């Protein structure tokens, strides 16, 4: 079964660092892009960025460039989303997702989603 | 980058058909055939309903169909059912960032 399993909920203070994970199984990890999506409380979906594990090509949406780091570990079939200094406004649910079609040149329709990681940042 | 524009809410009675619009620009919807639609029930994970404008993933009912004309994409749900009550988001590739942009989201209510 194709799955993306994300790490558990996090409660952090402003200024702390955090790295959440998304472990893939049931498919060839390096052949599909992995995207990260943010959903703030009561709000809509926002694309954060994507990474292609095979060659580490990583792209960020303008709003998130410089704010987070997206990476992937091919030995562990795991993608990561990382913050160096959290803010209260980072409080949200974060989803990882995989496109329906493999390959370097397709990263559009996301048909496999992780269960989401809730990140709460509060002093 | 600006989000794609969707109506805040659309409603219909069971069995009826409804259409959700998603308006963008030539830099996104109008320039490419990479529109996707996602359904999200409250507290649940988003689900892909349509990709590449009009393609349905395996397991998605043919009651869901997608189309595109100019800078506007549309999702039509026919034979409306209670389980269709959810938030729906469109998404498109955008040359502005060479990535994606989501729509503002539409709440579908089954009367």
């Amino acid at each position: 079964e194709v799955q993306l399993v994300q790490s558990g909920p996090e409660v952090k203070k402003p200024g702390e660092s955090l790295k959440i994970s998304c472990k893939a199984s049931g498919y060839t990890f390096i052949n599909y892009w992995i995207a990260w999506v943010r959903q703030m409380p009561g709000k809509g979906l926002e694309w954060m960025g994507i990474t292609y594990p095979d060659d580490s090509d990583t792209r960020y949406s303008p709003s998130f460039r410089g704010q987070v780091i997206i990476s992937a570990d091919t030995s562990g079939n795991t993608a990561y989303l990382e913050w160096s200094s959290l803010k209260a406004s980072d409080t949200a649910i974060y989803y990882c997702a995989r496109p329906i079609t493999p390959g370097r040149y397709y990263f559009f329709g996301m048909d496999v989603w992780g269960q989401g990681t809730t990140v709460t940042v509060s002093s | 980058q600006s989000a794609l524009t969707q109506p805040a809410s659309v409603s219909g009675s069971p069995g009826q058909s409804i259409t959700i619009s998603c308006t963008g620009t030539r830099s996104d919807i109008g320039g490419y055939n990479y529109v996707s639609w996602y359904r999200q029930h409250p507290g649940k994970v988003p689900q892909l309903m349509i990709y590449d404008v009009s393609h349905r993933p395996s397991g998605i009912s043919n009651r869901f169909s997608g189309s595109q004309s100019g800078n506007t994409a549309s999702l039509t749900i026919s034979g409306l059912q209670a389980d269709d009550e959810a938030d729906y988001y469109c998404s498109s590739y955008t040359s502005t960032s060479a990535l994606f942009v989501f729509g503002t989201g539409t709440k579908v209510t089954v009367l």
Side-chain angles (χ1 to χ4, degrees):
Chain A
E1 180 191 4
V2 175
Q3 282 191 96
L4 296 174
V5 179
Q6 298 185 230
S7 49
E10 301 276 359
V11 179
K12 292 289 192 178
K13 296 187 184 324
E16 291 186 333
S17 62
L18 176 64
K19 193 172 188 177
I20 63 175
S21 65
C22 169
K23 184 170 177 59
S25 62
Y27 73 95
T28 304
F29 180 64
I30 61 171
N31 288 348
Y32 290 78
W33 292 83
I34 290 280
W36 286 94
V37 175
R38 182 176 78 174
Q39 188 166 38
M40 299 175 74
K43 302 297 184 182
L45 304 173
E46 300 173 89
W47 294 108
M48 301 178 71
I50 55 172
T51 190
Y52 193 64
D54 192 30
D55 61 8
S56 298
D57 183 6
T58 302
R59 308 175 188 185
Y60 297 91
S61 292
S63 300
F64 295 94
R65 190 173 295 121
Q67 307 304 308
V68 296
I69 296 173
I70 292 170
S71 61
D73 169 21
T74 56
S75 66
N77 288 356
T78 302
Y80 298 97
L81 178 63
E82 183 177 7
W83 295 260
S84 60
S85 180
L86 287 160
K87 301 184 279 288
S89 58
D90 292 318
T91 295
I93 298 174
Y94 294 89
Y95 296 101
C96 60
R98 190 209 77 169
I100 194 168
T101 299
R104 185 76 175 72
Y105 299 103
Y106 188 89
F107 47 71
F108 306 103
M110 301 292 171
D111 76 323
V112 180
W113 290 69
Q115 81 277 22
T117 295
T118 298
V119 174
T120 303
V121 183
S122 174
S123 54
Chain B
Q1 59 196 33
S2 300
L4 305 172
T5 302
Q6 298 180 233
S9 63
V10 173
S11 62
S13 300
Q16 284 187 330
S17 293
I18 61 170
T19 296
I20 303 169
S21 62
C22 172
T23 302
T25 68
R26 283 184 297 175
S27 297
D28 38 68
I29 293 176
Y32 306 92
N33 294 323
Y34 292 127
V35 175
S36 302
W37 289 89
Y38 299 88
R39 177 175 72 180
Q40 187 180 34
H41 287 114
K44 301 297 185 182
V45 176
Q47 179 184 17
L48 180 67
M49 306 305 287
I50 295 287
Y51 68 99
D52 295 355
V53 178
S54 60
H55 293 80
R56 275 187 310 276
S58 174
I60 299 301
S61 170
N62 58 10
R63 297 188 300 107
F64 294 86
S65 62
S67 63
Q68 177 180 323
S69 178
N71 297 338
T72 299
S74 300
L75 174 71
T76 297
I77 308 174
S78 58
L80 204 60
Q81 299 177 358
D83 186 56
D84 297 330
E85 190 160 289
D87 293 323
Y88 290 79
Y89 297 91
C90 60
S91 175
S92 174
Y93 175 80
T94 172
S95 59
T96 302
S97 64
L99 268 181
F100 321 108
V101 59
F102 273 115
T104 49
T106 298
K107 182 175 180 58
V108 169
T109 301
V110 181
L111 301 171

